[in-house]
Amino acid sequence: ERLNQYTPEQSNSYSNGIIFSHESGFYDSTIILNLISKFGHDIRFSTDGSDPTIISTLFTDSLILSNLDTVENTYSNISTSPYWVAPYTNNLKSHVIKAATFDQGLRTSNIYTKIIFVSSNIDSNNNDLDIISIVSNPENLFSHDSGIYVPGINYDPSNSVWTGNYFQKGDLWERWANLQYFTSNGNLQFNQDVGIRIHGGKGRNWPQKSLRIYTEGDYGAPKLNYSFFD
């Protein structure tokens, strides 16, 4: 069974929901994000990519989201390969807000994922390229036992080229993720849940890896309905 399955944002499994004051996207300066539960249930949220649960932070007031340029690296300081080296500078970062409603100990809404970039240099930072956001529970990628992006438990130092968690294949090594796509001007084109697996051959043990994207009924939308190529 795939890890960390939950009902995606796009499904109609729940009648409850959350209204966000701001959509995923790029903002020139600090924003104040407000969340409203349609039926008055508690809203709990996370900011580290993990799925909100009944013990996650309770939303009680607006979230002030500002520029993250000076925030130190966290996940990019995790070794993902025998050839990995630490970044020389702080990477560009976004706010990742995942939220859901809860009532009497039970989740009553889908899990919503919003990506907020706050930067006054949006155009110069992305060099007129489209931008892909992939969000998943940190353990899906970086857990020693089950993370698909790290050497992990399946790494053998005596065979460093062909071993590691990232060489594992099949359904058991597919992870749930949220995929959002922005055009070069920062406009959000879609926001949906997908499955991800590591893709490729020997390149799986390089620090940056190819990812395979899956759209199936379990994730909500059956395909990526967007014209990526002419």
Side-chain angles (χ1 to χ4, degrees):
E1 212 179 339
R2 299 187 185 98
L3 295 184
N4 302 309
Q5 294 201 18
Y6 57 80
T7 304
E9 180 172 333
Q10 289 72 25
S11 83
N12 296 316
S13 299
Y14 293 91
S15 59
N16 203 352
I18 300 174
I19 299 172
F20 289 77
S21 62
H22 295 73
E23 183 52 90
S24 293
F26 293 74
Y27 297 87
D28 292 331
S29 57
T30 298
I31 68 170
I32 299 176
L33 180 68
N34 284 296
L35 286 64
I36 300 174
S37 170
K38 292 181 180 179
F39 293 94
H41 293 176
D42 289 342
I43 298 176
R44 294 187 179 272
F45 69 96
S46 70
T47 58
D48 64 353
S50 62
D51 296 341
T53 68
I54 192 62
I55 62 173
S56 298
T57 302
L58 178 66
F59 178 81
T60 58
D61 200 358
S62 304
L63 301 178
I64 300 175
L65 307 181
S66 57
N67 186 285
L68 296 173
D69 285 352
T70 61
V71 175
E72 294 184 357
N73 297 327
T74 299
Y75 298 119
S76 56
N77 282 337
I78 296 174
S79 176
T80 59
S81 162
Y83 312 105
W84 175 88
V85 294
Y88 295 114
T89 62
N90 287 338
N91 291 323
L92 297 174
K93 299 177 178 68
S94 68
H95 294 275
V96 179
I97 308 296
K98 296 179 76 171
T101 61
F102 293 83
D103 186 52
Q104 298 182 11
L106 298 175
R107 179 161 63 84
T108 57
S109 79
N110 302 315
I111 294 178
Y112 294 82
T113 304
K114 303 298 178 183
I115 307 299
I116 304 294
F117 295 89
V118 180
S119 173
S120 59
N121 300 307
I122 294 173
D123 293 334
S124 61
N125 286 338
N126 70 8
N127 296 313
D128 295 325
L129 297 174
D130 291 354
I131 297 169
I132 295 173
S133 164
I134 297 175
V135 175
S136 189
N137 276 341
E139 60 266 28
N140 285 348
L141 300 178
F142 305 118
S143 163
H144 179 76
D145 293 328
S146 59
I148 65 174
Y149 213 84
V150 293
I153 195 172
N154 291 290
Y155 179 70
D156 179 359
S158 67
N159 184 17
S160 62
V161 175
W162 294 106
T163 63
N165 288 6
Y166 33 69
F167 278 104
Q168 304 307 301
K169 300 178 180 180
D171 284 352
L172 290 178
W173 290 89
E174 182 175 326
R175 300 293 180 260
W176 203 295
N178 173 267
L179 176 67
Q180 301 187 38
Y181 191 90
F182 303 86
T183 50
S184 58
N185 59 6
N187 290 332
L188 177 65
Q189 301 303 304
F190 63 80
N191 175 353
Q192 70 183 74
D193 291 331
V194 297
I196 57 173
R197 300 184 196 180
I198 301 297
H199 176 75
K202 183 179 178 182
R204 290 168 177 258
N205 77 340
W206 285 97
Q208 294 187 14
K209 312 175 194 304
S210 298
L211 290 174
R212 193 179 303 173
I213 305 297
Y214 290 85
T215 58
E216 301 170 318
D218 290 344
Y219 301 114
K223 63 181 179 179
L224 298 177
N225 188 18
Y226 183 77
S227 179
F228 293 97
F229 309 101
D230 291 339

